[in-house]
Amino acid sequence: MSVPPPPESIPGARLLFTLDPSVSYLNHGAFGAVPVGVQRTQQRLRDEMEANPQRFFGQSLTDRLAHTRRHLAAFLGADPEGTALVGNTTTGVAVALQSLGLRHDDEVLSTDHGYGAVHLSVARECRRTGATARSLHLPLSASDAQLVEIVRAGLRPGRTRLLLVDQLTSATARLLPVAALVAVAREHGVAVLVDAAHVPGMLPVQVDAIGADFWVGNLHKWGFAPRGTAVLVVAPRWRDRIEPLVVSWQQASGFPGNVEWQATLDYTGWLSAPAGLYTLRTLGLERVRTHNAALAAYGQRVVADALGVPPTDLPDPGGPGVAMRIVPLPPGVAGTLEAAGALRARIADRLAAEVSVMAWNGRGWLRLCGQVYNTTDEYERLASRLPALLAQG
């Protein structure tokens, strides 16, 4: 089967970023990349803050945060009254876990596709409360219907207190049917926390329509916001129970103010987030999404062909708009977290390419992203040089 044709590049898009031109940055999903216009927006806000800190941190700041919150919530199809700005998805997950009030007989059920730091957060909360953490195996080849049935069979009514699922997994770049999973959990009285770290900007979403109890997503990845910008969306029945990780002067105001206000935090990144969405819309939101997904698919096939991986062995991402794809590495390569990290560093140092290398279920996987600043020759150059690097051991 031939490699799919690459998408046409978006003219001038590369010039919107300050990325090192000598490096192929194929790992947008890790830390994102902030457009020049957004960087300048944040710098103007920092200049304002430093010109008169007392005035900047005065009463008008809460109004400006509320305006930003409403803007981001509208983009995500979420209720602004149930949306709080947080530093990242892991922070939002920690807030939700802390607010659940887990008890000794409770169980938190997640999957083996979950993000490592989130699993650590679950483990810590379970140690603190005496609750139990359990993980389900979801095969990469499973259909959406099969995934729903695996989760349905894994729920323990009366014991499972929370189901934690990714909307788009980080390690395996798989889009999960979260709305259907939420419906199944609701049938059994189980709350659901959706980790949607990669969704805002990459995929169209109507958060309220998903119906989750908690939904957390980063804007600093595919939404072009400054790093440290994410949102926690909470269903109405939980809002008066939300407890921030750190108490502030806004504690009495309740959610979302009690979560957002963190004294002398640098809020300029949050306030700049709408500029990231403006950049997306200026480029053409659907145009960007279509381009990125097609480019990631092209890169996946080019690298897979170079490694001798047949198309039938490439996992289906679960949806046409996914702008991250994975390629299985040869058996025995990067099968542990330590080995995966070492290989990623070697690729960066020797091939001048930034990629993600994951160890999932004892197998090494290379994850590639597609973004408007990437070009087809970056994937082709990686494909031409990667086999020799892997052969060196």
Side-chain angles (χ1 to χ4, degrees):
M1 188 178 295
S2 62
V3 175
E8 291 187 11
S9 60
I10 298 177
R14 179 65 180 81
L15 299 176
L16 298 177
F17 298 86
T18 53
L19 293 164
D20 183 349
S22 69
V23 176
S24 297
Y25 197 77
L26 308 176
N27 193 17
H28 186 87
F31 301 102
V34 184
V36 173
V38 182
Q39 294 181 39
R40 290 175 177 170
T41 296
Q42 185 176 16
Q43 188 57 53
R44 285 194 295 269
L45 287 164
R46 283 177 171 154
D47 291 343
E48 177 190 345
M49 177 173 62
E50 296 307 330
N52 190 334
Q54 179 69 53
R55 181 172 182 175
F56 183 86
F57 285 96
Q59 181 59 41
S60 65
L61 179 56
T62 57
D63 295 335
R64 295 169 81 171
L65 291 173
H67 174 77
T68 297
R69 181 197 313 135
R70 288 192 295 270
H71 190 105
L72 301 183
F75 177 75
L76 298 169
D79 178 5
E81 298 305 314
T83 302
L85 293 157
V86 291
N88 52 40
T89 296
T90 307
T91 300
V93 167
V95 171
L97 288 172
Q98 177 176 277
S99 303
L100 273 173
L102 292 173
R103 299 184 297 267
H104 184 269
D105 292 331
D106 290 335
E107 173 186 85
V108 176
L109 181 63
S110 59
T111 80
D112 59 353
H113 294 251
Y115 189 60
V118 171
H119 283 310
L120 291 173
S121 186
V122 169
R124 184 185 70 171
E125 191 64 16
C126 286
R127 286 195 304 271
R128 191 179 71 83
T129 62
T132 301
R134 185 164 59 93
S135 178
L136 292 175
H137 171 60
L138 302 182
L140 272 176
S141 59
S143 66
D144 282 357
Q146 290 170 329
L147 293 174
V148 171
E149 291 309 309
I150 290 171
V151 172
R152 186 193 304 275
L155 294 171
R156 296 174 178 174
R159 179 75 188 275
T160 306
R161 180 78 182 285
L162 179 72
L163 172 65
L164 198 163
V165 292
D166 295 70
Q167 189 164 349
L168 176 59
T169 66
S170 178
T172 55
R174 174 63 193 267
L175 187 64
L176 301 183
V178 290
L181 296 175
V182 168
V184 166
R186 180 159 293 158
E187 292 173 5
H188 296 84
V190 176
V192 182
L193 168 55
V194 175
D195 178 345
H198 291 275
V199 171
M202 183 200 293
L203 299 169
V205 63
Q206 291 292 314
V207 173
D208 286 352
I210 293 171
D213 298 84
F214 311 95
W215 185 97
V216 196
N218 289 323
L219 273 296
H220 56 241
K221 292 180 183 286
W222 304 90
F224 289 162
R227 291 172 198 87
T229 306
V231 293
L232 167 64
V233 182
V234 178
R237 72 187 187 98
W238 291 100
R239 293 173 191 173
D240 62 354
R241 303 187 230 180
I242 294 296
E243 288 291 341
L245 300 181
V246 178
V247 173
S248 73
W249 284 107
Q250 287 294 319
Q251 180 69 8
S253 70
F255 186 83
N258 62 347
V259 168
E260 290 179 344
W261 190 257
Q262 299 176 43
T264 52
L265 180 75
D266 183 350
Y267 298 96
T268 60
W270 294 356
L271 297 177
S272 304
L277 299 185
Y278 175 80
T279 303
L280 274 176
R281 292 184 173 115
T282 301
L283 291 170
L285 185 56
E286 292 309 316
R287 183 187 190 190
V288 168
R289 287 170 169 165
T290 301
H291 169 274
N292 291 350
L295 190 58
Y298 175 80
Q300 179 193 43
R301 287 293 301 279
V302 167
V303 173
D305 281 0
L307 296 180
V309 179
T312 52
D313 288 352
L314 296 178
D316 183 345
V322 177
M324 302 191 302
R325 301 296 178 98
I326 59 173
V327 178
L329 293 170
V333 175
T336 66
L337 288 177
E338 293 76 13
L343 178 57
R344 187 211 62 76
R346 287 174 59 209
I347 293 173
D349 292 342
R350 301 186 188 182
L351 306 187
E354 292 292 351
V355 299
S356 177
V357 181
M358 307 284 191
W360 185 75
N361 279 4
R363 181 77 185 265
W365 300 84
L366 181 76
R367 191 190 75 187
L368 300 169
C369 299
Q371 190 49 268
V372 296
Y373 51 73
N374 292 129
T375 58
T376 55
D377 65 290
E378 293 179 304
Y379 304 92
E380 294 161 1
R381 188 163 55 248
L382 173 65
S384 69
R385 301 175 65 191
L386 183 60
L389 178 71
L390 296 180
Q392 295 172 5

